[in-house]
Amino acid sequence: MVRIQVRLTLLFVVIVTLVLAISGSYTQYCLGKDLESGSQRLREGVLTRLQTSLPSALWDLDKSKVDSIVAAEMLPPELVAIRVYDSSVGLFSGKARDAAGRIVSIASELVVAGAPVEANLVFRDSVAVSASSKPVTVGKVVVNFSRAQIDAALVAEVRRKVIEVLLLDSILVAALALSLRIVFDPLKQLRDGLVDLATRGSDDVEELPDNRRDELGDVIRGFNAVQRKLKSIIERIREAEDAARRSEQQTARAMDELRRAQESLLQSERLASLGSLVAGVAHEINTPVGIALTSASVLKEATDEVLAAVGGGNVKKSDILRYLETAGESARLIMNNAYRAAHLIHSFKQIAADQVSEARRHFELREYIGEVVSSLQPSLKKTRIGIAIDCPDDITLDSYPGALAQVLTNLTLNCVEHAFDADTEGLIAIGVRRDGSWIEMQVSDNGKGIPADMLDKVFDPFVTTRRGQGGTGLGLNIVFNLIVKQFGGTISVSSTPGHGARFTLRIPRQTPAPDDAAGAEPAAAAALP
């Protein structure tokens, strides 16, 4: 309340001060104009009188008369000095006002204060100038006028106005201080009552006295009624707050348990993906290893037969030729299947090691995508879905290959599970293009597409269209978290039902530090080709 009272007082003081300042400025302006007009009239009158009286005295070289005329004109305090010059002699007579205000003669050319005004002295007596009737310039007069009186009058007026403003402001402040107490004293009581009601127990707050019979009394009586009502409400609110506090604690515990469960499910999903990869690769390796083992057994039996024949000394050319044919075919089968198994083991070893270690390293993107696709062949073998890769050979990343393998695996298997029906022929295309220090990767399919009501929720956790059929709804959520948090990139999805879906990934060629991964697109290192 004090601050409102002070602001109101300041407002009135400022308004009154502004009004008086404007009025005083106008008065000061008018006074200045009047003083300037009077000074101009004085200058014109002095010059006129001097031009009238001095030429004849100067023509007669009557110095005493000139001095008396000059001394008479020096009576107004606005005149600082009057100097009369003869056209042939020079300074003829001069009077000046000293610092004490006395009029003294000027004996030489001294620097005189004030604004000088110069006028020629013309003698017009035709008899004195012989036969010529033209006026003769006999000299000049220089008059120095002072503005000190004008400035002093203006300063005095300003001082008077300032004193007047200060006096009126003081009276106004005193009047407002007394009058506003009538309004603000009851308001202070209301304020104190509200503070007590907010900070103290409702039972400890007493009602305000309501003996006033004016508008403020009605307000106080209304406040007392509200206070009585608030006491009952506050009691109910306290009970509700206690219940809400207990519920909040229970909710916090439930959220912690849910968060831990979600993290556990995410980790289980990643490990399940790796386990599925292990099972598929193991099953796929079993065939070439079995063929190689069988071929080695056949080769060993043929070798034992040839050795027995050689030992008995009854070896035949046909036996040797048959052995060579068997050995050649067995060697070819062993080499082909061993190479196939080695290729699968190499791809699986690199992908599995990357996913387990989550280490950062440089790698060729085209080659690594091929290894990921090779590791997925066991899962794709029983389908009619093909994978096409369109990626330049000269793109190198400084990133996390295990996380990228997880992203490609989840996106590919998501297409296999959701985009195509069983025994439906389809195509999954992985396209990569360079965009400065970034790459843009598109994983698209020509399957069923994503329903419009699911398009905005595909990256949310536990959102799936195959609930109860093995779907957890975490695959794309893992992809989103890896792209945004670990790679510092972006991912978006577009789809038209019946025409497939397209996932567009943008990641830097050099993954930023963990603190910068969620920021704007940082520049990749220039060392990458």
Side-chain angles (χ1 to χ4, degrees), residues 52-69 84 86 92 121 123 138:
T52 302
S53 59
L54 284 178
S56 60
L58 190 60
W59 175 263
D60 296 333
L61 297 179
D62 189 351
K63 188 174 188 309
S64 60
K65 185 178 181 180
V66 171
D67 289 340
S68 62
I69 293 173
V84 180
D86 182 70
F92 186 80
L121 300 176
F123 184 69
V138 295

Side-chain angles (χ1 to χ4, degrees), residues 390-392 395 431-435 438-442 506:
D390 180 15
C391 176
I395 297 180
V432 180
R433 71 177 184 88
R434 191 198 313 265
D435 185 10
W438 289 66
I439 63 165
E440 181 176 292
M441 180 183 300
Q442 291 187 350
R506 281 182 55 82

Side-chain angles (χ1 to χ4, degrees), residues 358-519:
E358 296 185 354
R360 175 173 178 165
R361 63 182 177 87
H362 287 76
F363 59 93
E364 297 285 342
L365 183 59
R366 176 65 177 84
E367 179 182 353
Y368 196 76
I369 293 176
E371 292 179 353
V372 175
V373 172
S374 297
S375 67
L376 294 175
Q377 288 303 320
S379 300
L380 301 174
K381 187 175 181 180
K382 299 178 182 180
T383 68
R384 300 175 61 190
I385 301 172
I387 297 181
I389 302 174
D390 180 15
C391 176
D393 294 332
D394 58 344
I395 297 180
T396 303
L397 298 187
D398 177 11
S399 188
Y400 300 93
L404 182 60
Q406 183 76 44
V407 168
L408 292 174
T409 299
N410 286 14
L411 289 177
T412 303
L413 295 182
N414 182 76
C415 293
V416 172
E417 294 176 3
H418 299 280
F420 304 100
D421 294 327
D423 298 330
T424 300
E425 184 176 356
L427 177 66
I428 299 174
I430 302 176
V432 180
R433 71 177 184 88
R434 191 198 313 265
D435 185 10
S437 59
W438 289 66
I439 63 165
E440 181 176 292
M441 180 183 300
Q442 291 187 350
V443 180
S444 58
D445 63 75
N446 57 353
K448 296 182 294 185
I450 303 174
D453 59 339
M454 293 287 295
L455 198 60
D456 294 335
K457 300 182 292 183
V458 293
F459 297 118
D460 295 343
F462 310 111
V463 174
T464 179
T465 58
R466 295 174 59 86
R467 192 173 305 279
Q469 304 177 19
T472 63
L474 294 174
L476 292 181
N477 180 252
I478 292 175
V479 170
F480 180 84
N481 288 329
L482 290 175
I483 292 297
V484 174
K485 296 180 180 179
Q486 188 159 358
F487 290 106
T490 61
I491 182 171
S492 60
V493 60
S494 60
S495 177
T496 301
H499 295 83
R502 177 185 292 108
F503 292 86
T504 302
L505 293 67
R506 281 182 55 82
I507 60 176
R509 295 171 59 203
Q510 179 178 3
T511 300
D515 294 339
D516 302 330

Side-chain angles (χ1 to χ4, degrees), residues 196-487:
D196 290 341
L197 189 61
T199 56
R200 299 169 57 189
S202 58
D203 297 334
D204 299 333
V205 179
E206 298 180 358
E207 295 184 2
L208 299 177
D210 56 355
N211 52 0
R212 296 177 63 99
R213 296 302 175 214
D214 52 13
E215 291 82 354
L216 291 175
D218 295 337
V219 174
I220 292 175
R221 285 186 287 274
F223 170 78
N224 291 335
V226 172
Q227 179 180 346
R228 291 190 291 269
K229 183 69 175 177
L230 283 177
K231 287 182 178 180
S232 61
I233 295 176
I234 288 173
E235 185 63 29
R236 291 196 297 269
I237 289 176
R238 288 173 179 171
E239 296 175 356
E241 286 178 348
D242 294 337
R245 192 178 297 108
R246 292 191 295 269
S247 299
E248 182 181 0
Q249 294 174 353
Q250 296 174 357
T251 302
R253 288 194 296 269
M255 284 296 295
D256 291 338
E257 294 175 357
L258 179 62
R259 189 177 298 107
R260 288 194 295 269
Q262 182 177 354
E263 293 175 354
S264 177
L265 285 174
L266 289 173
Q267 185 66 20
S268 299
E269 181 72 12
R270 297 185 66 178
L271 294 177
S273 175
L274 184 59
S276 176
L277 175 63
V278 172
V281 171
H283 177 75
E284 190 70 14
I285 290 176
N286 186 55
T287 300
V289 170
I291 294 175
L293 181 61
T294 301
S295 300
S297 299
V298 171
L299 180 60
K300 186 177 184 305
E301 291 177 1
T303 303
D304 291 341
E305 291 177 359
V306 170
L307 287 175
V310 171
N314 55 353
V315 63
K316 300 178 183 179
K317 181 180 180 180
S318 59
D319 294 335
I320 297 298
L321 293 175
R322 187 169 53 255
Y323 171 75
L324 293 175
E325 181 180 357
T326 301
E329 181 65 21
S330 298
R332 185 183 63 80
L333 290 173
I334 291 173
M335 289 184 63
N336 289 342
N337 286 277
Y339 174 79
R340 181 181 174 191
H343 178 69
L344 289 172
I345 291 173
H346 173 75
S347 299
F348 165 73
K349 179 180 178 182
Q350 186 62 61
I351 299 302
D354 287 336
Q355 292 199 26
V356 171
S357 66
E358 296 185 354
R360 175 173 178 165
R361 63 182 177 87
H362 287 76
F363 59 93
E364 297 285 342
L365 183 59
R366 176 65 177 84
E367 179 182 353
Y368 196 76
I369 293 176
E371 292 179 353
V372 175
V373 172
S374 297
S375 67
L376 294 175
Q377 288 303 320
S379 300
L380 301 174
K381 187 175 181 180
K382 299 178 182 180
T383 68
R384 300 175 61 190
I385 301 172
I387 297 181
I389 302 174
D390 180 15
C391 176
D393 294 332
D394 58 344
I395 297 180
T396 303
L397 298 187
D398 177 11
S399 188
Y400 300 93
L404 182 60
Q406 183 76 44
V407 168
L408 292 174
T409 299
N410 286 14
L411 289 177
T412 303
L413 295 182
N414 182 76
C415 293
V416 172
E417 294 176 3
H418 299 280
F420 304 100
D421 294 327
D423 298 330
T424 300
E425 184 176 356
L427 177 66
I428 299 174
I430 302 176
V432 180
R433 71 177 184 88
R434 191 198 313 265
D435 185 10
S437 59
W438 289 66
I439 63 165
E440 181 176 292
M441 180 183 300
Q442 291 187 350
V443 180
S444 58
D445 63 75
N446 57 353
K448 296 182 294 185
I450 303 174
D453 59 339
M454 293 287 295
L455 198 60
D456 294 335
K457 300 182 292 183
V458 293
F459 297 118
D460 295 343
F462 310 111
V463 174
T464 179
T465 58
R466 295 174 59 86
R467 192 173 305 279
Q469 304 177 19
T472 63
L474 294 174
L476 292 181
N477 180 252
I478 292 175
V479 170
F480 180 84
N481 288 329
L482 290 175
I483 292 297
V484 174
K485 296 180 180 179
Q486 188 159 358
F487 290 106

Side-chain angles (χ1 to χ4, degrees), residues 131-150:
S132 174
S133 61
K134 295 181 180 181
V136 177
T137 301
V138 295
K140 66 177 182 178
V141 62
V142 178
V143 184
N144 288 74
F145 293 91
S146 173
R147 289 184 51 86
Q149 286 73 23
I150 296 177

